[in-house]
Amino acid sequence: MTDDCRVAATTDRLVLRMWEEGDSDGFYAVMNTPLVMRWLGGVQSTDEWGAAKARLDSYQRNYGHTFWIVEDRHSAELQGFCGLKRVNAPGAGPITGEMEVGWRLRESAWGKGIAKEAAIAALDLAFDRFSAPHVVALTVAGNEGSWGLMKRLGMTHRSEFDYVDPRFGDDLNPTIVYRIDASDWPQARASALA
């Protein structure tokens, strides 16, 4: 964390920070679109979002990390979320409880390198502050933007950990697991920044 205990990390363009009062409604308003939610199970009802937000809060409370709010460092405009949680999806088997990096950005933030910048900051925290031996990321075959970023971050597909999530149909299964080890992060980080 930075000196401001609300802030998990800052980058050249971004702030990754704790959720605050009013963030939930603002996030839901700009993020709950068919395009953003295409590979995440579809548009959520307010009750579904409320349950998801409660899980995000529990990660912060129980582990000291979550998928933090990502905002533009200069305008404070909400870009989405990015951060760390523990794998808890049904069917995840041997990776249940592993540290997971994840992100979700509003449509207007796509294609600008924001997800990569935020994910690098989150991975720095995973390995430096939280001493993770490795970090996983989860996606599906159709979400090329997601697994493409995982590759650019130096993560590799670990097919032995892929699993079927019973909450979703064939278009969102199997869940594909990427992973990076702490020992590989310094070189991968340098390559991602090049």
Side-chain angles (χ1 to χ4, degrees):
M1 296 288 184
T2 65
D3 291 338
D4 180 348
C5 64
R6 304 175 318 107
V7 175
T10 58
T11 70
D12 288 344
R13 296 184 293 168
L14 307 172
V15 174
L16 281 67
R17 65 163 177 80
M18 306 291 183
W19 290 75
E20 298 174 349
E21 190 71 31
D23 284 339
S24 183
D25 290 343
F27 186 91
Y28 183 79
V30 297
M31 301 296 291
N32 196 42
T33 68
L35 279 176
V36 170
M37 298 301 293
R38 166 65 180 97
W39 303 111
L40 302 169
V43 172
Q44 295 176 314
S45 69
T46 53
D47 287 345
E48 288 169 328
W49 168 241
K53 177 60 170 62
R55 288 190 299 274
L56 292 172
D57 293 341
S58 75
Y59 305 143
Q60 183 65 51
R61 186 173 52 253
N62 296 333
Y63 302 110
H65 53 73
T66 191
F67 288 167
W68 296 291
I69 287 285
V70 175
E71 62 185 21
D72 183 279
R73 188 171 175 180
H74 305 289
S75 70
E77 180 184 45
L78 172 70
Q79 302 298 302
F81 70 39
C82 182
L84 307 165
K85 67 182 253 329
R86 301 296 173 139
V87 175
N88 61 347
I95 65 165
T96 298
E98 298 282 348
M99 188 171 285
E100 172 190 349
V101 64
W103 50 83
R104 184 185 309 173
L105 297 180
R106 66 190 300 158
E107 292 168 49
S108 62
W110 294 357
K112 299 177 180 177
I114 292 171
K116 182 173 83 167
E117 190 171 327
I120 288 170
L123 285 165
D124 284 344
L125 288 167
F127 295 125
D128 297 340
R129 178 160 191 245
F130 297 105
S131 302
H134 53 261
V135 176
V136 299
L138 311 178
T139 190
V140 296
N143 193 351
E144 186 175 346
S146 180
W147 54 257
L149 176 54
M150 293 169 193
K151 288 181 174 183
R152 289 190 299 281
L153 292 169
M155 305 184 93
T156 56
H157 181 200
R158 297 293 299 269
S159 60
E160 70 271 27
F161 298 126
D162 292 354
Y163 64 92
V164 172
D165 188 326
R167 297 173 297 177
F168 304 118
D170 291 344
D171 62 331
L172 297 178
N173 269 303
T175 296
I176 298 170
V177 179
Y178 278 74
R179 185 173 120 167
I180 188 165
D181 295 334
S183 59
D184 295 327
W185 177 236
Q187 183 175 348
R189 184 185 196 280
S191 294
L193 290 171

